[in-house]
Amino acid sequence: DGGITQSPKYLFRKEGQNVTLSCEQNLNHDAMYWYRQDPGQGLRLIYYSQIVNDFQKGDIAEGYSVSREKKESFPLTVTSAQKNPTAFYLCASSIPGTGLVAGELFFGEGSRLTVL
Amino acid sequence: AQKITQTQPGMFVQEKEAVTLDCTYDTSDPSYGLFWYKQPSSGEMIFLIYQGSYDQQNATEGRYSLNFQKARKSANLVISASQLGDSAMYFCAIVKAAGNKLTFGGGTRVLVKP
């Protein structure tokens, strides 16, 4: 079945450590995204990539880094520079839209990061 | 910049009744799209319905319909005949034409009572 796979589902890290969240898709989508969700709140865009070897900062990119070496993969690294990294992280991909606007996002099941 | 506002943080609805979730938006783009997503307690985001700014008719998908009032910049979601499985967070989102970045509202938590 086609879809988006995020791993790990749950992750604990100590302060000062970098951690990388994996996101793999087999939907053949060009665009991929990383969103952060804090408890009881909406999603905020961290980074997005519209094509291999290219990515752009979203609204809250500070303390995060990404790479897009393959179409299928868009890993997110939460660095020690991120002041408050405990959150739920969602990866998504999208197809080209119909008409004038972009298509819907397809989401993974998320990764919950807790900093101890 | 685009902005989505969902003013209802949470609401209860009786099973089999209809519920309306409010969503207002602010954008300077003449062409845009509006989405509603459902997030159950498991965390994944499930696409429900889409409305384009130039669509003449309100979007419908099964028990979901979108009450789109362009002049008022509102895109309310109506869920008819609520089911226990509808208990979840619901998010409204906007994207500008030819863009890929969705901007999400803060969400509304719905709890369906038996």
Side-chain angles (χ1 to χ4, degrees), chain A residues 23-46:
Chain A
C23 178
E24 303 279 329
Q25 56 103 354
N26 59 3
L27 300 168
N28 201 32
H29 290 172
D30 287 314
M32 296 186 74
Y33 314 79
W34 274 105
Y35 282 90
R36 169 181 171 140
Q37 186 179 28
D38 292 289
Q41 297 187 28
L43 280 67
R44 293 183 291 168
L45 183 64
I46 305 172

mmCIF file of all heavy atoms in Angstrom, chain A residues 23-46:
data_model
loop_
_atom_site.group_PDB
_atom_site.id
_atom_site.type_symbol
_atom_site.label_atom_id
_atom_site.label_comp_id
_atom_site.label_asym_id
_atom_site.label_seq_id
_atom_site.Cartn_x
_atom_site.Cartn_y
_atom_site.Cartn_z
ATOM 1 N N CYS A 23 11.305 10.218 7.451
ATOM 2 C CA CYS A 23 10.052 10.284 6.701
ATOM 3 C C CYS A 23 10.292 9.724 5.311
ATOM 4 O O CYS A 23 11.131 10.250 4.563
ATOM 5 C CB CYS A 23 9.543 11.720 6.598
ATOM 6 S SG CYS A 23 8.023 11.862 5.629
ATOM 7 N N GLU A 24 9.571 8.666 4.980
ATOM 8 C CA GLU A 24 9.695 8.012 3.685
ATOM 9 C C GLU A 24 8.308 7.906 3.050
ATOM 10 O O GLU A 24 7.356 7.559 3.714
ATOM 11 C CB GLU A 24 10.259 6.598 3.849
ATOM 12 C CG GLU A 24 11.606 6.526 4.544
ATOM 13 C CD GLU A 24 12.755 6.826 3.615
ATOM 14 O OE1 GLU A 24 12.652 6.536 2.404
ATOM 15 O OE2 GLU A 24 13.782 7.360 4.091
ATOM 16 N N GLN A 25 8.239 8.209 1.740
ATOM 17 C CA GLN A 25 6.957 8.074 1.042
ATOM 18 C C GLN A 25 7.144 7.287 -0.254
ATOM 19 O O GLN A 25 8.178 7.401 -0.908
ATOM 20 C CB GLN A 25 6.342 9.454 0.753
ATOM 21 C CG GLN A 25 7.226 10.411 -0.021
ATOM 22 C CD GLN A 25 6.871 10.576 -1.479
ATOM 23 O OE1 GLN A 25 5.997 9.892 -2.020
ATOM 24 N NE2 GLN A 25 7.532 11.527 -2.138
ATOM 25 N N ASN A 26 6.142 6.486 -0.573
ATOM 26 C CA ASN A 26 6.167 5.721 -1.828
ATOM 27 C C ASN A 26 4.984 6.102 -2.702
ATOM 28 O O ASN A 26 4.459 5.283 -3.464
ATOM 29 C CB ASN A 26 6.190 4.215 -1.550
ATOM 30 C CG ASN A 26 4.983 3.753 -0.756
ATOM 31 O OD1 ASN A 26 4.088 4.546 -0.462
ATOM 32 N ND2 ASN A 26 4.946 2.481 -0.396
ATOM 33 N N LEU A 27 4.578 7.364 -2.586
ATOM 34 C CA LEU A 27 3.447 7.874 -3.346
ATOM 35 C C LEU A 27 3.890 8.582 -4.630
ATOM 36 O O LEU A 27 3.052 9.076 -5.385
ATOM 37 C CB LEU A 27 2.644 8.849 -2.480
ATOM 38 C CG LEU A 27 2.059 8.254 -1.198
ATOM 39 C CD1 LEU A 27 1.552 9.352 -0.272
ATOM 40 C CD2 LEU A 27 0.941 7.272 -1.534
ATOM 41 N N ASN A 28 5.189 8.669 -4.826
ATOM 42 C CA ASN A 28 5.762 9.363 -5.980
ATOM 43 C C ASN A 28 5.401 10.852 -5.999
ATOM 44 O O ASN A 28 5.251 11.471 -7.065
ATOM 45 C CB ASN A 28 5.326 8.706 -7.300
ATOM 46 C CG ASN A 28 6.271 9.063 -8.446
ATOM 47 O OD1 ASN A 28 7.471 9.254 -8.243
ATOM 48 N ND2 ASN A 28 5.733 9.165 -9.653
ATOM 49 N N HIS A 29 5.261 11.443 -4.806
ATOM 50 C CA HIS A 29 4.953 12.866 -4.703
ATOM 51 C C HIS A 29 6.226 13.686 -4.771
ATOM 52 O O HIS A 29 7.256 13.313 -4.202
ATOM 53 C CB HIS A 29 4.238 13.153 -3.377
ATOM 54 C CG HIS A 29 2.863 12.615 -3.325
ATOM 55 N ND1 HIS A 29 2.105 12.618 -2.163
ATOM 56 C CD2 HIS A 29 2.065 12.059 -4.280
ATOM 57 C CE1 HIS A 29 0.917 12.096 -2.418
ATOM 58 N NE2 HIS A 29 0.869 11.750 -3.690
ATOM 59 N N ASP A 30 6.131 14.833 -5.448
ATOM 60 C CA ASP A 30 7.303 15.704 -5.518
ATOM 61 C C ASP A 30 7.509 16.505 -4.241
ATOM 62 O O ASP A 30 8.627 16.732 -3.807
ATOM 63 C CB ASP A 30 7.160 16.673 -6.702
ATOM 64 C CG ASP A 30 7.366 15.967 -8.035
ATOM 65 O OD1 ASP A 30 8.336 15.198 -8.142
ATOM 66 O OD2 ASP A 30 6.564 16.190 -8.956
ATOM 67 N N ALA A 31 6.423 16.987 -3.658
ATOM 68 C CA ALA A 31 6.535 17.903 -2.525
ATOM 69 C C ALA A 31 6.418 17.159 -1.194
ATOM 70 O O ALA A 31 5.584 16.269 -1.047
ATOM 71 C CB ALA A 31 5.451 18.972 -2.611
ATOM 72 N N MET A 32 7.252 17.554 -0.248
ATOM 73 C CA MET A 32 7.187 16.980 1.104
ATOM 74 C C MET A 32 7.333 18.094 2.125
ATOM 75 O O MET A 32 7.922 19.146 1.840
ATOM 76 C CB MET A 32 8.278 15.921 1.297
ATOM 77 C CG MET A 32 8.105 14.717 0.379
ATOM 78 S SD MET A 32 9.273 13.384 0.716
ATOM 79 C CE MET A 32 8.605 12.705 2.241
ATOM 80 N N TYR A 33 6.789 17.852 3.319
ATOM 81 C CA TYR A 33 6.696 18.890 4.341
ATOM 82 C C TYR A 33 6.944 18.310 5.732
ATOM 83 O O TYR A 33 6.651 17.145 5.982
ATOM 84 C CB TYR A 33 5.280 19.502 4.358
ATOM 85 C CG TYR A 33 4.716 19.842 3.012
ATOM 86 C CD1 TYR A 33 4.178 18.849 2.199
ATOM 87 C CD2 TYR A 33 4.726 21.147 2.542
ATOM 88 C CE1 TYR A 33 3.660 19.146 0.953
ATOM 89 C CE2 TYR A 33 4.198 21.460 1.303
ATOM 90 C CZ TYR A 33 3.673 20.456 0.514
ATOM 91 O OH TYR A 33 3.160 20.760 -0.723
ATOM 92 N N TRP A 34 7.403 19.179 6.612
ATOM 93 C CA TRP A 34 7.455 18.847 8.036
ATOM 94 C C TRP A 34 6.670 19.903 8.813
ATOM 95 O O TRP A 34 6.888 21.105 8.649
ATOM 96 C CB TRP A 34 8.892 18.813 8.558
ATOM 97 C CG TRP A 34 9.568 17.505 8.354
ATOM 98 C CD1 TRP A 34 10.522 17.191 7.436
ATOM 99 C CD2 TRP A 34 9.357 16.309 9.114
ATOM 100 N NE1 TRP A 34 10.907 15.882 7.556
ATOM 101 C CE2 TRP A 34 10.208 15.322 8.583
ATOM 102 C CE3 TRP A 34 8.535 15.973 10.194
ATOM 103 C CZ2 TRP A 34 10.266 14.012 9.089
ATOM 104 C CZ3 TRP A 34 8.596 14.691 10.697
ATOM 105 C CH2 TRP A 34 9.449 13.727 10.152
ATOM 106 N N TYR A 35 5.763 19.391 9.668
ATOM 107 C CA TYR A 35 4.973 20.253 10.532
ATOM 108 C C TYR A 35 5.251 19.887 11.985
ATOM 109 O O TYR A 35 5.504 18.733 12.322
ATOM 110 C CB TYR A 35 3.478 20.084 10.269
ATOM 111 C CG TYR A 35 2.976 20.789 9.034
ATOM 112 C CD1 TYR A 35 2.965 20.131 7.797
ATOM 113 C CD2 TYR A 35 2.506 22.091 9.094
ATOM 114 C CE1 TYR A 35 2.502 20.771 6.664
ATOM 115 C CE2 TYR A 35 2.031 22.738 7.952
ATOM 116 C CZ TYR A 35 2.036 22.067 6.748
ATOM 117 O OH TYR A 35 1.561 22.694 5.621
ATOM 118 N N ARG A 36 5.121 20.884 12.833
ATOM 119 C CA ARG A 36 5.216 20.666 14.283
ATOM 120 C C ARG A 36 3.854 20.963 14.895
ATOM 121 O O ARG A 36 3.186 21.935 14.510
ATOM 122 C CB ARG A 36 6.274 21.594 14.867
ATOM 123 C CG ARG A 36 6.269 21.643 16.394
ATOM 124 C CD ARG A 36 7.288 22.583 16.948
ATOM 125 N NE ARG A 36 7.094 22.757 18.385
ATOM 126 C CZ ARG A 36 8.080 22.826 19.262
ATOM 127 N NH1 ARG A 36 9.350 22.760 18.869
ATOM 128 N NH2 ARG A 36 7.812 22.968 20.541
ATOM 129 N N GLN A 37 3.455 20.131 15.856
ATOM 130 C CA GLN A 37 2.197 20.362 16.569
ATOM 131 C C GLN A 37 2.451 20.313 18.068
ATOM 132 O O GLN A 37 2.953 19.316 18.586
ATOM 133 C CB GLN A 37 1.141 19.322 16.178
ATOM 134 C CG GLN A 37 -0.222 19.592 16.779
ATOM 135 C CD GLN A 37 -1.257 18.576 16.361
ATOM 136 O OE1 GLN A 37 -0.941 17.426 16.074
ATOM 137 N NE2 GLN A 37 -2.507 18.995 16.310
ATOM 138 N N ASP A 38 2.088 21.368 18.766
ATOM 139 C CA ASP A 38 2.161 21.398 20.224
ATOM 140 C C ASP A 38 0.789 21.053 20.792
ATOM 141 O O ASP A 38 -0.231 21.229 20.105
ATOM 142 C CB ASP A 38 2.641 22.769 20.685
ATOM 143 C CG ASP A 38 4.096 23.008 20.298
ATOM 144 O OD1 ASP A 38 4.957 22.343 20.915
ATOM 145 O OD2 ASP A 38 4.375 23.788 19.373
ATOM 146 N N PRO A 39 0.726 20.570 22.027
ATOM 147 C CA PRO A 39 -0.551 20.086 22.588
ATOM 148 C C PRO A 39 -1.682 21.094 22.465
ATOM 149 O O PRO A 39 -1.528 22.262 22.844
ATOM 150 C CB PRO A 39 -0.190 19.817 24.053
ATOM 151 C CG PRO A 39 1.267 19.519 24.035
ATOM 152 C CD PRO A 39 1.846 20.393 22.972
ATOM 153 N N GLY A 40 -2.810 20.644 21.924
ATOM 154 C CA GLY A 40 -3.992 21.479 21.807
ATOM 155 C C GLY A 40 -3.900 22.584 20.779
ATOM 156 O O GLY A 40 -4.748 23.479 20.754
ATOM 157 N N GLN A 41 -2.897 22.510 19.924
ATOM 158 C CA GLN A 41 -2.705 23.579 18.943
ATOM 159 C C GLN A 41 -2.692 23.040 17.522
ATOM 160 O O GLN A 41 -2.679 21.832 17.286
ATOM 161 C CB GLN A 41 -1.399 24.314 19.234
ATOM 162 C CG GLN A 41 -1.381 25.009 20.584
ATOM 163 C CD GLN A 41 -0.152 25.859 20.769
ATOM 164 O OE1 GLN A 41 0.423 26.366 19.803
ATOM 165 N NE2 GLN A 41 0.262 26.027 22.008
ATOM 166 N N GLY A 42 -2.684 23.970 16.575
ATOM 167 C CA GLY A 42 -2.635 23.591 15.170
ATOM 168 C C GLY A 42 -1.227 23.259 14.721
ATOM 169 O O GLY A 42 -0.282 23.232 15.513
ATOM 170 N N LEU A 43 -1.085 22.994 13.425
ATOM 171 C CA LEU A 43 0.194 22.613 12.845
ATOM 172 C C LEU A 43 0.936 23.852 12.352
ATOM 173 O O LEU A 43 0.337 24.759 11.769
ATOM 174 C CB LEU A 43 -0.023 21.668 11.661
ATOM 175 C CG LEU A 43 -0.289 20.204 11.983
ATOM 176 C CD1 LEU A 43 -1.612 20.004 12.683
ATOM 177 C CD2 LEU A 43 -0.243 19.368 10.708
ATOM 178 N N ARG A 44 2.244 23.842 12.574
ATOM 179 C CA ARG A 44 3.086 24.929 12.069
ATOM 180 C C ARG A 44 4.174 24.341 11.172
ATOM 181 O O ARG A 44 4.799 23.347 11.524
ATOM 182 C CB ARG A 44 3.709 25.710 13.233
ATOM 183 C CG ARG A 44 2.685 26.488 14.057
ATOM 184 C CD ARG A 44 3.367 27.286 15.150
ATOM 185 N NE ARG A 44 3.927 26.441 16.183
ATOM 186 C CZ ARG A 44 4.763 26.861 17.124
ATOM 187 N NH1 ARG A 44 5.170 28.129 17.138
ATOM 188 N NH2 ARG A 44 5.207 26.028 18.047
ATOM 189 N N LEU A 45 4.401 25.000 10.050
ATOM 190 C CA LEU A 45 5.318 24.487 9.032
ATOM 191 C C LEU A 45 6.763 24.765 9.414
ATOM 192 O O LEU A 45 7.148 25.903 9.691
ATOM 193 C CB LEU A 45 4.993 25.129 7.682
ATOM 194 C CG LEU A 45 5.805 24.644 6.490
ATOM 195 C CD1 LEU A 45 5.534 23.166 6.208
ATOM 196 C CD2 LEU A 45 5.481 25.490 5.266
ATOM 197 N N ILE A 46 7.580 23.696 9.385
ATOM 198 C CA ILE A 46 8.997 23.819 9.719
ATOM 199 C C ILE A 46 9.823 24.015 8.451
ATOM 200 O O ILE A 46 10.530 25.002 8.295
ATOM 201 C CB ILE A 46 9.496 22.577 10.477
ATOM 202 C CG1 ILE A 46 8.642 22.309 11.712
ATOM 203 C CG2 ILE A 46 10.959 22.751 10.872
ATOM 204 C CD1 ILE A 46 8.969 20.976 12.397
#
